Amino acid sequence: MAMRCAAKHALVTPPLAPGSPGALLQGRFSPRTPGAGPCRAASYASSPAAGKHLPPLFSVAPMMDWTDNHYRTLARLISRHAWLYTEMVVAETIVHQKDNLDRFLAFPEDQHPIVLQIGGSNLENLAKATELANAYSYDEINLNCGCPSGKVAGHGCFGARLMFDPEFVGDAMSAIATNCDVPVSVKCRIGVDDRDSYEELCEFVDKVVSKSPTRHFIIHARKALLNGLSPAENRKVPSLKYEYYFGLLRDFPQVKFTLNGGITTIDQVSSSIRHGANGVMVGRAAYNNPWNMLGHVDGAIYGKPTRCISRRQILESYQVYGDSIIGQYGPSRPNVRQLVKFYLHFSSLPFVLDNG
């Protein structure tokens, strides 16, 4: 493996104290902080999607049962420029439901820029699923190499378990790229179980890059523990090691890396980018507090005008969407509960979908 000579230096002299998110992600969000300027997109100017959309300086993480079409519609009403990820869709689901793909893959045109995340460990099915999904014109296809769920990494033998086999991930990314017309990316952890050294992370990235056109990785800066921890515990118990992420930035200058894990405010997003991060991905903070998180992305991160509308106006626009889609796939598919399950996180305003 062509290990970069800067790797040792990256670990010895990180820009932050190892494992200390406070060293990087300081401060509370204050939307009117005097002198606070927007972060610029220059570091991502070479992104293949840069000419079509603004670069993915800020993205909303793929979350099962959360980042569905309904949530993404609301998110796009709040932010024009945040990159949105789908829930993980298993490759076998796409292949076996090829006559019913709209239910799993269709999305409104205004959700762009949007990334499809797929999961799986069968090369043939990953290739077929990508070919079928390509017709839906996603802006990027992402492979899940980070989910620690027992159903995924255990019984399913994919997700975070794929990090044990970088050779296969390289082959999978080559197959995915061959069957689509957009950039491809990998979302992974910094390690799995006892395979958690920085050198092993570099070997994983190096192998995937050498075997495929993958030039974008989303790095959750925690390792995954596949035995003994629940998915929720895997988001909290393993320590954050941001120094691994910044080491990758130095050692793989031809690759773009998005930072994920432990980031909950716009101030922390801005701080990460000022410290050199190519982009930042936020998960539950963008779902649990969409107004305060997404409402400031366009201005604070992209330096673009924000939508000067109220929460009530956003909900009224969302109601139009809800009325148009309720029951589209049969009785109660989707139903009112599915359409408004995130509602309490957003506003206390009265809001009722008209199903008549």
Side-chain angles (χ1 to χ4, degrees):
M1 206 255 335
M3 177 64 68
R4 297 346 188 236
C5 63
K8 183 177 179 180
H9 175 76
L11 292 177
V12 174
T13 58
L16 316 166
S20 173
L24 167 63
L25 310 175
Q26 296 177 356
R28 295 181 178 179
F29 174 57
S30 176
R32 297 183 181 178
T33 303
C39 297
R40 300 302 178 187
S43 64
Y44 231 119
S46 61
S47 169
K52 186 177 181 181
H53 303 292
L54 294 179
L57 292 178
F58 182 98
S59 54
V60 177
M63 294 175 283
M64 291 299 296
D65 298 321
W66 288 22
T67 51
D68 56 19
N69 229 334
H70 317 315
Y71 169 78
R72 297 195 309 267
T73 295
L74 175 76
R76 184 58 72 221
L77 287 170
I78 303 172
S79 170
R80 295 179 186 271
H81 304 297
W83 282 63
L84 306 178
Y85 278 62
T86 70
E87 305 170 272
M88 180 185 66
V89 184
V90 178
E92 283 70 20
T93 298
I94 298 175
V95 172
H96 297 150
Q97 295 285 337
K98 61 182 179 181
D99 296 324
N100 190 29
L101 285 180
D102 281 0
R103 180 182 171 192
F104 301 95
L105 298 178
F107 60 90
E109 179 68 21
D110 59 7
Q111 279 189 20
H112 289 288
I114 180 171
V115 179
L116 171 66
Q117 185 182 75
I118 61 176
S121 57
N122 180 287
L123 283 178
E124 183 178 356
N125 284 337
L126 286 169
K128 288 181 179 178
T130 303
E131 183 180 13
L132 291 168
N134 190 53
Y136 286 83
S137 299
Y138 284 90
D139 297 293
E140 186 170 293
I141 305 294
N142 177 265
L143 179 65
N144 185 320
C145 294
C147 180
S149 163
K151 292 182 179 179
V152 174
H155 176 72
C157 292
F158 58 101
R161 188 168 293 278
L162 293 182
M163 292 195 71
F164 287 131
D165 192 353
E167 187 90 19
F168 171 83
V169 177
D171 290 337
M173 294 310 298
S174 179
I176 291 170
T178 299
N179 286 278
C180 70
D181 302 320
V182 295
V184 296
S185 62
V186 169
K187 187 175 189 296
C188 63
R189 295 288 185 125
I190 58 172
V192 181
D193 293 341
D194 59 352
R195 297 272 295 273
D196 62 351
S197 70
Y198 178 72
E199 288 73 16
E200 287 168 313
L201 177 60
C202 285
E203 289 171 3
F204 175 82
V205 171
D206 192 77
K207 180 60 69 175
V208 175
V209 168
S210 67
K211 298 197 70 175
S212 76
T214 306
R215 295 298 180 270
H216 182 201
F217 290 77
I218 298 92
I219 304 294
H220 187 155
R222 289 184 175 92
K223 75 174 182 178
L225 292 171
L226 301 186
N227 296 305
L229 291 185
S230 68
E233 290 170 327
N234 260 298
R235 293 191 297 270
K236 300 175 181 178
V237 175
S239 60
L240 286 159
K241 294 186 177 181
Y242 291 114
E243 67 271 21
Y244 279 31
Y245 171 82
F246 285 93
L248 292 174
L249 288 180
R250 281 187 289 266
D251 297 339
F252 296 87
Q254 79 280 21
V255 179
K256 300 299 180 183
F257 295 97
T258 292
L259 176 62
N260 177 228
I263 299 174
T264 60
T265 71
I266 285 293
D267 265 358
Q268 292 171 341
V269 175
S270 298
S271 177
S272 301
I273 295 172
R274 285 196 301 271
H275 280 82
N278 297 142
V280 175
M281 174 177 281
V282 176
R284 279 150 182 79
Y287 186 93
N288 292 331
N289 199 356
W291 178 253
N292 285 335
M293 176 60 74
L294 295 171
H296 302 288
V297 166
D298 294 353
I301 305 304
Y302 287 99
K304 298 293 184 181
T306 58
R307 293 183 169 181
C308 298
I309 56 178
S310 67
R311 283 181 291 182
R312 180 179 291 276
Q313 289 172 306
I314 289 173
L315 288 175
E316 288 172 349
S317 296
Y318 182 79
Q319 181 172 356
V320 174
Y321 161 78
D323 288 339
S324 72
I325 199 173
I326 193 165
Q328 180 174 341
Y329 300 109
S332 300
R333 295 169 61 184
N335 57 39
V336 173
R337 184 182 183 89
Q338 292 168 327
L339 289 166
V340 301
K341 63 183 179 180
F342 55 79
Y343 170 61
L344 291 177
H345 298 298
F346 183 70
S347 172
S348 59
L349 296 173
F351 175 52
V352 178
L353 281 169
D354 180 8
N355 193 21

